[in-house]
Amino acid sequence: MTPILVFDIETIPDVAGIRRLEDLPSTLTDAEVAEHAFAARREKIGSDFLPHHLQRIAAISCVFRDNAGFRVRSLGTPADGEAALVQSFYRVIEKYTPQLVSWNGGGFDLPVLNYRALVNGIPASRFWDVGEDDREFKWNNYISRYHARHTDLMDVLAMYQTRANAPLDALAKLCGFPGKLGMDGGQVWHAFREGRIEEIRNYCETDVVNTYLLYCRFQLMRGGFSAQEYADEIALVKNSLAQEPAAHWAEYLAAFDQ
């Protein structure tokens, strides 16, 4: 089978970048710099959600599904800096050429990853190939919105109509899956400042499993899985998570409806 890589990122304000762009005094704390950016954003658009290029990656979590089974991990270690995390992500693509799957990955995760790869000087030649190195990539690559090598489930299910987009948490719960547990994206910056990196990574991991479960349901809907294959895949996910020692997986499995 073609390896499947489901991915999700968690981000925080790029405080160093904001300082550089705004020429802010060094006496300001990181929290004050971030609040300066949030306030400017609220005044401009009514929300403190920062633009993609001012997001810094705090965690990248992935489901990897291949002939060897199902695995879910956060890339790198809690001590790794952003560059190491981003490099690890593109190295997986370079090594395996996987089918990418995301929820709003085309609208958020991949643009942020690309900006951070640019800022950190990280090569990602396989990801950017559109046929120069591999002729097959001319017709099916990671870049084109309408190619299948990256399936942004939110975008596809909404028929590429942004007004029809739905949140991951709601769709997961409507399908009987656990959805988000313990944290949401709006709490990541606060958790990061408190040093709760492991908690952020755990939250990101549950999100990426939710995405994979929805991808399985999508495959059932589109005929990629038979009913039995779908049931077997869900059982594989549950059994694999039951073997994981981390406490958040026990909580996650307990929230399953099916």
Side-chain angles (χ1 to χ4, degrees):
M1 66 179 294
T2 300
I4 299 169
L5 181 69
V6 189
F7 65 97
D8 185 49
I9 68 173
E10 298 304 329
T11 63
I12 58 175
D14 178 14
V15 172
I18 295 166
R19 287 184 189 275
R20 175 175 294 184
L21 293 176
E22 300 289 337
D23 195 24
L24 297 174
S26 59
T27 53
L28 292 181
T29 66
D30 285 356
E32 289 170 333
V33 170
E35 183 51 42
H36 169 85
F38 291 148
R41 196 67 171 162
R42 284 193 296 268
E43 183 176 352
K44 184 175 183 179
I45 66 169
S47 164
D48 60 8
F49 192 79
L50 297 180
H52 294 60
H53 67 284
L54 294 181
Q55 305 270 356
R56 182 161 75 89
I57 295 171
I60 306 174
S61 296
C62 300
V63 160
F64 196 76
R65 175 70 169 100
D66 62 3
N67 289 327
F70 170 95
R71 285 93 76 199
V72 56
R73 296 287 185 273
S74 291
L75 299 181
T77 72
D80 283 338
E82 178 188 55
L85 301 181
V86 175
Q87 187 172 57
S88 293
F89 175 76
Y90 287 109
R91 277 179 175 169
V92 173
I93 295 175
E94 196 75 25
K95 182 175 181 179
Y96 296 102
T97 313
Q99 165 71 53
L100 292 183
V101 178
S102 69
W103 192 274
N104 195 31
F108 180 71
D109 304 68
L110 283 177
V112 173
L113 281 158
N114 292 336
Y115 284 134
R116 303 317 292 178
L118 194 71
V119 167
N120 288 288
I122 293 168
S125 59
R126 189 62 166 168
F127 176 82
W128 288 103
D129 189 5
V130 290
E132 301 95 337
D133 297 324
D134 186 332
R135 291 181 62 186
E136 290 186 8
F137 273 61
K138 182 176 182 180
W139 314 111
N140 187 20
N141 55 63
Y142 293 120
I143 309 306
S144 174
R145 184 182 190 184
Y146 304 108
H147 288 181
R149 203 174 288 273
H150 168 225
T151 298
D152 180 340
L153 275 174
M154 187 185 80
D155 203 26
V156 171
L157 289 168
M159 302 297 290
Y160 309 105
Q161 303 296 317
T162 56
R163 65 181 180 273
N165 287 347
L168 172 64
D169 183 49
L171 257 294
K173 289 175 177 175
L174 285 172
C175 290
F177 304 134
K180 293 181 181 292
L181 298 176
M183 188 183 290
D184 63 46
Q187 299 170 305
V188 169
W189 173 229
H190 180 69
F192 182 86
R193 285 160 50 207
E194 292 185 341
R196 292 153 50 204
I197 309 302
E198 196 64 54
E199 188 176 337
I200 294 170
R201 288 160 64 90
N202 292 347
Y203 158 66
C204 195
E205 288 174 8
T206 59
D207 256 9
V208 83
V209 172
N210 284 321
T211 303
Y212 182 66
L213 293 170
L214 286 171
Y215 180 70
C216 292
R217 185 68 68 89
F218 173 66
Q219 290 299 322
L220 174 67
M221 180 175 70
R222 67 182 292 271
F225 280 161
S226 67
Q228 187 59 56
E229 287 170 333
Y230 170 77
D232 290 345
E233 193 67 19
I234 298 301
L236 173 66
V237 173
K238 288 183 175 181
N239 291 336
S240 298
L241 295 180
Q243 304 305 312
E244 294 288 341
H248 63 290
W249 293 124
E251 180 185 3
Y252 187 84
L253 288 170
F256 251 98
D257 281 355
Q258 49 185 300

